[in-house]
Each structure stands twice: as C-alpha cells, then as structure tokens.
Amino acid sequence: CAIAFGTIASSHAVEAILLRDSWVTTGAPGTNYGTSVTLQVSSGTVRRAIMAFDLNLPAGTTAAQVQTATLKLFITASATPGSVTIQPVTGTWTESGVTNNNFPALGTSYGTANLNAGVNQFVGIDVTDMVKDWINATQDVTKGLALTPSGSVNLDFSSKEATAGSHEPVLQIVLTPSSPVWHTGTPA
C-alpha cells in the first residue's frame, strides 16, 4: 500500500541586492551625490532619491508568488517628517553620473508613503505592485525606483555608502511557494 503525503513549504523572504543609489537636488543641479552617505528627499530645495536593485529571486518566480515587497529605509535626519511618492525610473542612469540636470524620466506613481518616524528609526514602504510589475516585465527593474517629495517633507536616509552603524536601503520580498511538494512512499 502506497501512501502519499505532502509538505507545504512556508513563505520565505528574499532580500534584493542594492546595486546603486544616489540623490539629486535643484539646489546644485549639476552635482552628483553617488558617493554620499545619505539619500535625501526634500520639498523645499527639491531633493529626490534614486536606487536600483537586483531582485535576487529564485529562477521561475512569478508575480503571483509575491505576497509583499517592502522597501526598508533608515532615517538619519528628519527635519520635516512627511510623505514621499514612489515612482519607477524609466530612463537610464548611473550612480556616478546622475544629477538633477540629467535625472532620468519617471513613470506613473505607485502611491505615496507617509514617513512620520523619527531619527535612527526604520521605515517601510510597500512596493509590492512595483515588484510584481518588474517580474512581469511591465517595468524595467534595472532602472530602479525614485522617491520624490509629496507635500512638505525633509528626510535623509542611509545610503549604501554609509559605514559606521549604517543601514543601507533593503528591498525585502516575501514569496509564497509555487506548489506543495508531494512524496509517495510505501510504509515499512
């Protein structure tokens, strides 16, 4: 007599690899901040942050398997807590070359996140729909995402260049397994 039994693999998180990040400002439109230890978003003198990730997903991962995707940022300065808009980048850019003068085009907003946390705290931004679109190739993951000011805001976040006690941006993707794993055997 053969017995079939199944094991359902549990959800698991995958951490995407941050490839590049930078920020730009209208206050110094020709300056590159690719080596800065912070990423800045501000509404006064407009500052926008930009970053790109390698999703680092198992082969064959589908958008339907993505339960959640969260961009985690560490606030290093919070002069004015507020909201940021999350947008896909549709133009090309490099970490060492992007400035406000050549900032790449942005796509339609994926929403706004209210970041009313204090200094030395993590904040999470839901980017699930954007990650699903990257997997479905309706957006180009290699171009990344931008955080732009929405209303009054002035926040600094750790970048990948920060060293002592740094907390670089993290994109965490929680996946559901694609199907149960079934085993068939004969009892002893």
Side-chain angles (χ1 to χ4, degrees):
C1 168
I3 297 175
F5 58 95
T7 56
I8 306 287
S10 61
S11 299
H12 67 281
V14 175
E15 193 170 292
I17 300 165
L18 180 61
L19 300 174
R20 59 192 188 277
D21 61 7
S22 189
W23 63 278
V24 301
T25 178
T26 57
T31 303
N32 170 266
Y33 295 96
T35 59
S36 174
V37 297
T38 63
L39 298 173
Q40 300 183 15
V41 179
S42 176
S43 55
T45 299
V46 176
R47 296 180 187 133
R48 302 175 286 178
I50 187 169
M51 58 199 84
F53 294 88
D54 173 346
L55 294 184
N56 193 34
L57 296 172
T61 300
T62 66
Q65 289 175 264
V66 176
Q67 285 184 341
T68 61
T70 305
L71 176 63
K72 295 181 179 181
L73 301 168
F74 187 75
I75 297 176
T76 59
S78 178
T80 309
S83 298
V84 298
T85 300
I86 302 95
Q87 293 177 264
V89 177
T90 59
T92 58
W93 63 282
T94 63
E95 184 174 50
S96 62
V98 68
T99 68
N100 197 70
N101 286 341
N102 66 10
F103 197 76
L106 302 178
T108 303
S109 167
Y110 276 84
T112 300
N114 190 5
L115 305 180
N116 283 322
V119 175
N120 296 325
Q121 293 184 12
F122 286 95
V123 292
I125 300 173
D126 184 350
V127 291
T128 304
D129 290 338
M130 183 179 289
V131 168
K132 287 181 177 184
D133 284 347
W134 284 339
I135 293 169
N136 287 330
T138 57
Q139 295 289 342
D140 186 348
V141 67
T142 65
K143 294 179 179 170
L145 63 88
L147 301 177
T148 60
S150 177
S152 181
V153 63
N154 187 350
L155 295 168
D156 293 1
F157 309 100
S158 282
S159 77
K160 71 178 184 60
E161 284 75 21
T163 52
S166 79
H167 304 285
E168 72 178 30
V170 172
L171 177 56
Q172 185 177 57
I173 305 164
V174 177
L175 299 173
T176 303
S178 57
S179 61
V181 178
W182 293 97
H183 305 278
T184 305
T186 305

